[in-house]
Amino acid sequence: MRIPRPCLVARCVRGLESAVAAEVLESGLGAVTRLGHREVQFRLRSPEPIPVPRTADDLFLLAARRPDIGTTKSDLHALAELAELADTDLLLRLRRTLTQAKDDVPGIDVSASFLGRRTFSRYDAEDVVGAALAERLGVPYHSRRAGAAPPPGHQGWRLTLDGTHATLMLRISDRPLHRRAYKRRTVPGTLHPPVAAAMAVMADIRPGHTVLDPCCGAGTLLIEAALARPGARLRGFDLSPDAVAAARANAAALPIGVDRCDAGRLPFSDASIDRVLSNPPWGTQVHPRGLLADSPSRWWTELRRVLSPDGTVVLLLPTSETLAGAIRHGLAPVHIQGVRVSGAQSFIVRLQPTS
């Protein structure tokens, strides 16, 4: 069937679907028409250059949809129908209008994913659709089967099979949205930018607020907070010199202060911090160091000490059991949201002082 146009699909981390939908609605991008597994579909309000949702991993124009095929390799040929259903001329015009993309298309690549067990691989599905699209557009197709990245400038298409529908989409930008331009340097355990953007929104940062990340790593949370909520005073600390250097490099264009400090002894007076945003070292990807290594409870003691009576803390936790320490130190969870980060279940938690 043909897709009503212009219709977009924002792909996201599992668990952030509602955050993406809220951002689409609040920014006036359009009307949400469908929430699915790791995606939000919405009808664009007007075909003109648009702000991209920062909580989304990627953004696509909806090209074509048909019933999902079967589960065996013999069913794969039916996917070629998606290339025939897509109005490629209109899609390319819309892409140019929305993002000022170049007219020339040197080639295409396709990335696929599916739910449920199949007797074919994602590469099998990609190659069927990619070959059909390349023939339709008259350009080369780059297969991902060998593991090589597509050549620069190749146009990205996305194929999803969810058990009900097979859906084909065209990426509106040259690269996925989660690949932020500011991310010049990284460190182990660095946070996925759309997750950081969702945490910054959840913190409800206001102009004039003092915002702290005691374990800032490469600075992703503070940078997303600065971009989403300008006007706040943003301070980041980390015990690792490499992390401090990475955060300073990434945040160089923004009013963010980054210094070396132990999160177990913060250089702030009591009740002086309005918002805390952090992805602390819980011992999964990054292990605690300094005072926190000897006494992990110091994390909660210092957090509670510096937080103002009407302050808010937003953290990424590996397990909900970690909240026991927060509750013992007078921080009550008021919202818990499960997300999949790096393939593992995690929790974004908003906490507020109990007294």
Side-chain angles (χ1 to χ4, degrees):
M1 63 180 175
R2 295 281 182 176
I3 299 296
R5 295 169 297 263
C7 202
L8 277 74
V9 178
R11 297 279 298 173
C12 64
V13 165
R14 186 175 180 182
L16 289 188
E17 294 89 350
S18 59
V20 173
E23 186 178 2
V24 167
L25 294 172
E26 290 168 9
S27 63
L29 275 175
V32 173
T33 56
R34 180 175 180 268
L35 267 69
H37 174 78
R38 296 190 58 195
E39 68 177 41
V40 176
Q41 181 177 307
F42 60 97
R43 189 76 53 81
L44 200 62
R45 195 170 301 281
S46 58
E48 58 188 28
I50 59 171
V52 294
R54 300 194 67 82
T55 53
D57 273 16
D58 219 343
L59 189 60
F60 300 88
L61 281 161
L62 197 52
R65 178 173 285 154
R66 55 146 291 146
D68 196 349
I69 62 171
T71 60
T72 66
K73 274 193 174 184
S74 61
D75 301 310
L76 279 170
H77 66 92
L79 290 176
E81 180 187 357
L82 291 169
E84 296 302 317
L85 288 171
D87 188 338
T88 54
D89 290 339
L90 177 61
L91 288 164
L92 296 179
R93 285 201 305 273
L94 284 170
R95 186 174 185 264
R96 287 193 295 269
T97 299
L98 297 176
T99 65
Q100 284 80 53
K102 296 178 181 178
D103 288 336
D104 63 311
V105 180
I108 65 165
D109 66 274
V110 178
S111 178
S113 63
F114 52 76
L115 298 178
R117 297 190 173 212
R118 317 264 175 156
T119 62
F120 54 84
S121 71
R122 53 167 283 197
Y123 305 111
D124 296 328
E126 289 169 359
D127 288 348
V128 170
V129 174
L133 269 175
E135 182 178 0
R136 176 101 188 264
L137 294 168
V139 297
Y141 162 63
H142 172 84
S143 176
R144 294 171 174 264
R145 189 180 292 272
H154 265 47
Q155 193 179 83
W157 293 74
R158 176 79 181 174
L159 169 69
T160 62
L161 308 170
D162 64 8
T164 302
H165 295 106
T167 304
L168 180 65
M169 299 167 278
L170 170 63
R171 178 180 289 123
I172 69 166
S173 57
D174 290 335
R175 64 180 190 173
L177 298 184
H178 67 83
R179 294 182 187 170
R180 306 291 209 244
Y182 67 74
K183 204 92 170 184
R184 299 179 183 90
R185 296 182 60 177
T186 188
V187 293
T190 190
L191 191 57
H192 190 59
V195 175
M199 292 173 65
V201 171
M202 189 183 292
D204 190 27
I205 299 166
R206 306 294 175 87
H209 275 171
T210 299
V211 181
L212 167 68
D213 186 347
C215 304
C216 69
T220 308
L221 268 165
L222 292 172
I223 294 170
E224 291 296 332
L227 295 172
R229 299 288 189 266
R233 295 184 294 270
L234 302 160
R235 298 293 308 276
F237 296 96
D238 206 287
L239 193 56
S240 164
D242 290 340
V244 170
R248 286 175 174 172
N250 292 337
L254 295 166
I256 299 172
V258 181
D259 292 289
R260 189 164 183 254
C261 177
D262 194 314
R265 186 180 289 126
L266 295 168
F268 292 99
S269 58
D270 295 358
S272 60
I273 301 298
D274 300 293
R275 299 290 185 268
V276 175
L277 280 171
S278 197
N279 174 26
W282 297 113
T284 50
Q285 290 183 301
V286 179
H287 291 277
R289 298 171 58 191
L291 294 172
L292 299 187
D294 297 330
S295 179
S297 65
R298 287 185 71 109
W299 164 262
W300 298 115
T301 303
E302 278 295 271
L303 219 60
R304 185 65 183 86
R305 180 184 69 79
V306 302
L307 190 67
S308 67
D310 57 350
T312 296
V313 177
V314 177
L315 304 177
L316 184 68
L317 306 183
T319 68
S320 57
E321 285 78 11
T322 316
L323 286 173
I327 295 168
R328 283 196 302 269
H329 286 80
L331 292 169
V334 294
H335 181 80
I336 301 175
Q337 183 171 331
V339 292
R340 297 285 294 184
V341 179
S342 301
Q345 182 67 47
S346 299
F347 299 89
I348 299 174
V349 180
R350 185 170 73 236
L351 304 116
Q352 292 177 340
T354 55
S355 59

